[in-house]
Amino acid sequence: MQPLDVTRGDGPLVLGVPHSGTYIPEDIRERLNSLGQKRADTDWHVDRLYSDLLPGATMVRANFHRYVIDANRDPEGVSLYPGQNTTTLCPTTDFDGKPIYHEGQEPNAGEIESRRLAWHAPYHAALRAELERVRAKHGVAILYDCHSIRSVVPFLFEGTLPDFNTGTNNGVTCAPEFETAVSDRTRNADGYSAVLNGRFKGGWTTRHYGRPSEGFHAIQMELAQKTHLATEDLPFDYDEDKARRLRTHLKDILAALEAIAPVLADQNSKIEGAHHE
């Protein structure tokens, strides 16, 4: 199993998909308990949801499951949300805080490092390479990190999650034009709820790559799974009707980001030119 797949496009957007993969190597799978083997915390069908929405968009998709290693966590193991419940680089509990391994079968520090080298590092090497390629071609690169989660997860957040959860680490990871374009479209999507920088402000990927001053912009979109799944429990089936309606809005969001990119790149070019005069 290859750690990742890259579908390369020629536009300014790179779609990161770190959590839709379902592959767990057998030596890890047999150490998981029945809850772990259920793989409930997958971002089910997110790659399918975004597939072919925007001609020219690049997609970097992790094939491994987040229980192998979480591609959206700091490789040093630093918490994204200090003081709040969350899961770790190599999770030992699910989103409900329940153990996913048979007792005593959790990975030790050496195994975590081996998994990082085998899975986490190649994914981010590919993501970095695509962002740099796109930035070189267009003057800007936009990382749109694609996620989904169950609508109700009491261990992680209170109540029911809004449908669209846009994260820019409070405006740090992208130019305000990009943030506004996404926020306006999610807020005005008929029949959907939305929040900007709520419980999910952007994971490690968004925070690590989002450097607007260097032409790298990053946004995380966390979707409530009720927007596109028939059920948020087994068998986690894709709902064609729900997805078709949602994809209309997602397409509009991606198209808006693409349209802004050359304008921003031109502005940056003029600023840089003025600095050199």
Side-chain angles (χ1 to χ4, degrees), residues 67-102:
Y67 289 170
V68 177
I69 193 165
D70 192 328
N72 197 34
R73 292 292 181 273
D74 188 326
E76 301 299 323
V78 178
S79 176
L80 292 168
Y81 298 100
Q84 293 180 283
N85 290 335
T86 187
T87 51
T88 55
L89 180 62
C90 283
T92 56
T93 62
D94 67 3
F95 286 169
D96 295 315
K98 298 177 181 177
I100 58 173
Y101 282 89
H102 294 296

Side-chain angles (χ1 to χ4, degrees), residues 23-38:
Y23 177 71
I24 300 176
E26 183 60 25
D27 64 321
I28 298 176
R29 193 195 67 81
E30 64 186 10
R31 291 156 54 197
L32 296 175
N33 59 27
S34 59
L35 197 58
Q37 293 186 18
K38 182 180 177 181

